[in-house]
Amino acid sequence: MTDTIVRSRRLGAIGCVVGLIALVAAVLPHWVLPVIDPPPPIDKVIVDVGHRVKDRLVARIKGVAYQAPVRETSWTDRLHQHLPVAAVSLGLLAIILGVFGQLFREERHVTAMATTLGGCAIAVQLSFVLMGVLVVLALLYFIGDFLALF
């Protein structure tokens, strides 16, 4: 008679839940929050920047230190600041839980899913950073080509 060994799934299952939360935290600020709370129109941003530049110049001419007005941050701005850090942290935690689940000989598919979800959350964050770097490099190349530097 063969006895089947029932393997634990505790660390792997916790890692899967944490990895899924990390993936949601990685995707939320880039695709969901702009739909819920759209950014201000570009003309309003340009006018605000113009007023701030004018106020700085007036303060410099008068010889006083410029005091920037206190701007109240919205809840979406706070989420934009904190969710990327939370996504990477939770992604690392999911990977750690998946590795420990593998070390404690839990079921492989559950631990693999935990590490994959954590890795995907970190990859989403890194992909947005790399896209930003590529855009900056493309702009620098365009400006350099325009000025005949390259």
Side-chain angles (χ1 to χ4, degrees):
M1 195 171 191
T2 60
D3 292 329
T4 59
I5 298 172
V6 178
R7 293 185 179 191
S8 174
R9 296 182 182 177
R10 180 176 299 146
L11 288 177
I14 294 171
C16 287
V17 171
V18 170
L20 188 60
I21 292 170
L23 197 56
V24 168
V27 170
L28 192 69
H30 302 290
W31 287 306
V32 178
L33 288 181
V35 173
I36 295 172
D37 187 22
I42 191 71
D43 57 345
K44 185 174 187 257
V45 172
I46 291 173
V47 169
D48 290 342
V49 170
H51 285 295
R52 278 187 271 153
V53 169
K54 182 187 74 152
D55 293 341
R56 272 184 201 259
L57 289 175
V58 168
R60 180 167 289 185
I61 290 171
K62 289 182 180 179
V64 296
Y66 173 71
Q67 292 289 339
V70 178
R71 194 185 87 149
E72 184 70 30
T73 58
S74 67
W75 63 276
T76 54
D77 290 338
R78 288 191 298 271
L79 283 178
H80 273 289
Q81 292 172 354
H82 298 299
L83 280 179
V85 175
V88 172
S89 301
L90 290 173
L92 286 174
L93 182 63
I95 291 172
I96 290 169
L97 287 171
V99 168
F100 277 125
Q102 187 69 28
L103 289 175
F104 291 135
R105 301 194 186 274
E106 291 187 1
E107 288 191 27
R108 279 201 170 138
H109 68 278
V110 178
T111 58
M113 190 183 322
T115 55
T116 303
L117 285 170
C120 287
I122 294 171
V124 166
Q125 287 301 317
L126 287 178
S127 69
F128 282 108
V129 170
L130 290 177
M131 280 190 275
V133 169
L134 287 176
V135 167
V136 168
L137 287 176
L139 287 173
L140 288 175
Y141 183 77
F142 177 73
I143 292 170
D145 189 43
F146 181 73
L147 297 174
L149 294 177
F150 296 114

